[in-house]
Amino acid sequence: MPSWRQTTGLFLSAGALIAALVTVMYIRTDIPADLNAFAIQQDNVYYWADGTEMARTGEVNRQDTALDKIPEKVRWAALAAENETFYSDSGISVSGMTRAVTRMVTGGSTQGGSTITQQYVKNAYLNQRQTFSRKFTEMFIAIKLDNRMSKDDILEGYLNTSWFGRGTYGIARAAHAYYGKDVSRLNASEGAFLASLLKGAGLYDPALGPKNHARAVDRWNWILDRMVAIGKLSKEERASYKTFPEPQAPPKPAGLTGQTGYLVETARAYVSAHTNVTDHDFDLGGYQIRTTFEKPKVDALNKAVEEARGKLDPEKRDADKNVRVGAASVTTDGRVVALYGGPDYLKQGFNDANSSVVPAGTAFTPFVYAAALGDGIQRERDKPRTPVSPETLYNGDDKVSLMTPEGPYWDRSGKIVKGANDGGRSWGRISLHDAVAQSVNTPLMQLGMDVGLDRVGQTAVKTGLLADSLGTKVPAFSLGNTTPSAIRMAGAYGTFAARGMHSEPYSVGKLSRNGDDVPVEKPTPERALPQSVATAVDAALRDAVRKGSATAAAAAGADSAGKTGTEAKNKSSWYVGYRGKLVTAVSLSRIDPTTQELLPLDGIGGAATSTLGTPYPIGIWTTYMAGQKG
């Protein structure tokens, strides 16, 4: 038998060896340079214009929030539940660690045994596996972290990385998931329930069953009582919390189905182009994007388009196959309030509301008219430009030869180019005002040549079209070989509705990250046309609805104005118009899915193959706008 000296020496040696090993492990254990991916990655949350949630993107449903935005009693609810000595401990609990290790050895429960600092280390730097090596690593990092970070910073990190169930990380998202409110509006009672979830959301979410509900109520009561015991909640306030704060039912996940994906894509592109936020930073998440989209208008526009699509029969008619509709509704101050990008974002990712492949057709002619009224015309070289007015007469006959200052316009084959009216109708001498209102092609083609196609293009750009969407500067330019998006077309027509003032379309009204504002550019109105010019174009567009080529749109309201548009080879059809301050553009085309080439609209909807255009765009516009306030 060894003597007591030998026994004591053996234990002291073993203790010294263990101490040395622990010291070496402590020295060799560093705080990881990088947080776990999920600990820094958050979701981005998109909101409708009224502030209600529209969608979330990103793999992790988490939003950071500053500690000072979390009510103090909500913080202490978590501390009372998990680690009431947090502000005085060294970052670890020796007794807790001993219990946890003992349970692992004996095969018991692995829950508990960690301070909040240790739990934050586990959340942010390590993993959730219960092993000896991970426990010791957790302990050493926690001690070092407690020496380097303030207690408030550790608590903030813990509350932002903890799992609260319902797909949420962090107390900010939990506040929305369980109570539909911002974390800053939580009271102590609600905070006590959320703190109970830290013990295990799967056991304490009342929505998961009666047993969960009973456990949640018991845990809630216990946490409130602990807050009283540690002096963080008065007995009087505790007595006021008699009823368990029932959380709301789990929200249905907001995905990108239907029109939502097109809206998110549009807003995301605006953030990329009009802020200093890099794509990398945005993908890490944490941003709140308050869009300009109004859900009632989006739903109404979607309904109007789908009703029109329901009249097509692609099973019986080839002309009804591969039909694409793009639509956008924009206010005169630039807010994009509604889009129709396609039948479903998850089925067709290409956004037809923002595409630049569909020719504007004769919906482009108001820009020709505006250019003429603003810049005048020049029919002979070296002669001064002369002004024109809405009453100026032009030849409205069919098959009129186009003239340049040098003489007739010849095409490449050596033939004189002649204008053509819809249906081959001749109108005789007609005023420019009536030519726009009645959609008479030949005078407007000649007007474009007289103004100068470059000047026409410049006017179109000033009013809102993009320069890279303009078509080739040939006579057909005046009849819309340019390919603007529906968003841009609506924004440009808004210049006429706003008496010559133009605001660039925008889809994000406010941007923040974890509650702090992030600068985002918003357009300011600029004068694009003289008021007299815009007023004259507006008058022609109103007459188009009142007695001209767009009378079907009058059903939307007596104050409607707008213009139909058909491409020369019948490969696109448009209607762009407005009531009051709301402007909507609708385009329709057929696109071969294999070649992506435009197909003719001949026979669409069962119409005669000789019919140019289609009534569907103006029908969609009228159905939608009839229910909107101007």
Side-chain angles (χ1 to χ4, degrees), residues 228 257 261 264 346 403:
V228 174
T257 59
V264 166
L346 297 184
M403 303 297 291

Coordinates of all heavy atoms in Angstrom, one line a residue, residues 228 257 261 264 346 403:
V228 N -38.9 39.1 -10.6 CA -39.3 39.7 -9.4 C -38.2 39.4 -8.3 O -37.8 40.3 -7.6 CB -40.7 39.3 -8.9 CG1 -41.0 39.9 -7.5 CG2 -41.7 39.7 -9.9
T257 N -43.6 33.4 -55.2 CA -44.5 33.0 -56.2 C -45.4 34.1 -56.7 O -45.4 35.2 -56.1 CB -45.5 31.9 -55.6 OG1 -46.2 32.5 -54.4 CG2 -44.7 30.7 -55.1
G261 N -42.1 37.7 -56.8 CA -40.7 37.5 -57.3 C -40.3 38.7 -58.2 O -39.2 39.2 -58.2
V264 N -39.8 41.8 -56.0 CA -38.5 41.7 -55.3 C -37.3 41.9 -56.2 O -36.4 42.7 -55.9 CB -38.4 40.3 -54.6 CG1 -37.0 40.1 -54.1 CG2 -39.4 40.2 -53.4
L346 N -41.9 31.9 -60.4 CA -41.2 30.7 -60.2 C -41.3 29.8 -61.5 O -40.6 28.8 -61.7 CB -41.7 29.9 -59.0 CG -41.5 30.6 -57.7 CD1 -42.0 29.7 -56.5 CD2 -40.0 30.9 -57.5
M403 N -40.6 62.6 -97.5 CA -39.7 63.5 -98.0 C -38.7 63.9 -97.0 O -38.9 64.0 -95.8 CB -40.5 64.8 -98.5 CG -41.6 64.5 -99.5 SD -40.9 63.8 -101.1 CE -40.1 65.3 -101.7

